[in-house]
Amino acid sequence: MDTRTQELKENLDTVSRRIDGAVAAAGRADRPELIVVTKYFPAADAVRLAQLGAVELGENKDQEAGPKAAEVAAQLGEGAPRWHFIGQLQSNKAKSVVRYAHAVHSVDRAKLVGALSRGALSALESGERAAHLECLIQADLRDPVPDDGRGGASPDAVPGLADAIAEADGLTLGGLMAVAPLDEDPRPAFERLAALAERLRADHPAAVAVSAGMSRDLEAAVACGATHLRVGRDVLGERPAPR
Ligand SMILES: *Cc1c(COP(=O)(O)O)cnc(C)c1O
């Protein structure tokens, strides 16, 4: 094992123990899925992670994720990880993302639903995809929601978007995703998310995914019922400056 692989292994073990501790503290019978966010880190690290058993990986920019996913797939073939797209997505990038992403966690508007549906359908027809694209609605947990279009869909818009995804060909409604606002305690924010998720399940019982919790707040997310955690820096280290 090279030193970087050793380091990633130790970090994965530490994060895994944190998750176990949080699951036990919350008295949960289930264990959330860890998505390791590899943004800004090279394909070689994604390969190392997959070989260590971390096979759910996250990326937030198509121009970085597309080539990385292709490189990792070329090296690992059948053992390639599944990619979760977690960043703001422009509609014109949907066609690219559907070629490699298992799921998109950042669906925040109707226009993107249409673009993802068209892209997923054509990728299914061409054989570039084998399965529907799982879509999570990114909910803005800021209260009140500012009109800057940055943090996801406002909670009021979630039911309409959910119906649109559920009805769209090529897409499956997975659930909700959110990032805790930086300027408040994550716990009440994740409690608002849990309430939104409960309302969503009333209309769409299969949409059970709650993607929440990052390096800084995964314990709070586990306590509030997160089913997917997205952890970057506590596994990979400090990110290099954005390119
Ligand atoms: C980068 C990122 C993460 C991971 O954050 P860390 O602080 O590195 O754990 C999670 N979710 C989203 C949406 C991100 O962009």
Side-chain angles (χ1 to χ4, degrees):
M1 222 184 255
D2 64 22
T3 53
R4 177 60 169 160
T5 307
Q6 190 65 44
E7 181 186 353
L8 291 173
K9 182 178 185 313
E10 282 164 17
N11 292 346
L12 274 175
D13 288 346
T14 304
V15 167
S16 183
R17 279 194 298 273
R18 281 175 62 192
I19 297 171
D20 288 341
V23 165
R28 284 178 57 167
D30 63 327
R31 191 178 196 279
E33 183 121 51
L34 173 64
I35 296 169
V36 180
V37 180
T38 49
K39 65 190 185 197
Y40 302 143
F41 287 92
D45 279 348
V47 169
R48 290 183 176 100
L49 287 163
Q51 288 171 336
L52 288 168
V55 290
E56 307 289 336
L57 302 183
E59 285 284 335
N60 74 336
K61 286 199 181 66
D62 176 60
Q63 58 270 37
E64 178 183 350
K68 197 182 293 183
E71 201 177 325
V72 172
Q75 285 191 51
L76 293 177
E78 287 292 301
R82 295 205 301 197
W83 295 97
H84 297 254
F85 193 87
I86 62 172
Q88 249 199 347
L89 182 56
Q90 291 170 279
S91 301
N92 62 3
K93 297 282 167 61
K95 217 166 47 193
S96 169
V97 167
V98 298
R99 295 204 184 100
Y100 57 84
H102 159 71
V104 172
H105 291 223
S106 43
V107 179
D108 58 358
R109 59 200 191 280
K111 187 178 174 204
L112 184 56
V113 175
L116 287 169
S117 172
R118 285 189 297 279
L121 269 185
S122 89
L124 284 164
E125 274 159 22
S126 68
E128 286 172 294
R129 296 192 67 81
H132 280 199
L133 179 73
E134 186 171 334
C135 290
L136 279 61
I137 298 168
Q138 181 175 355
D140 196 330
L141 298 182
R142 293 174 295 177
D143 189 16
V145 178
D147 193 19
D148 60 6
R150 298 201 56 187
S154 96
D156 301 341
V158 168
L161 271 175
D163 292 345
I165 294 168
E167 284 161 19
D169 290 323
L171 308 183
T172 299
L173 178 64
L176 295 180
M177 181 273 242
V179 176
L182 265 178
D183 54 1
E184 75 170 293
D185 177 9
R187 187 75 188 237
F190 288 147
E191 278 165 4
R192 295 199 292 278
L193 178 64
L196 265 181
E198 193 180 331
R199 237 173 291 153
L200 178 67
R201 287 194 301 272
D203 292 339
H204 301 276
V208 297
V210 181
S211 168
M214 312 168 34
S215 295
R216 64 166 187 260
D217 55 22
L218 73 85
E219 283 83 0
V222 171
C224 297
T227 62
H228 294 72
L229 308 169
R230 309 176 310 270
V231 177
R233 69 182 78 232
D234 282 358
V235 173
L236 288 130
E238 279 310 310
R239 284 186 275 280
R243 270 169 283 163

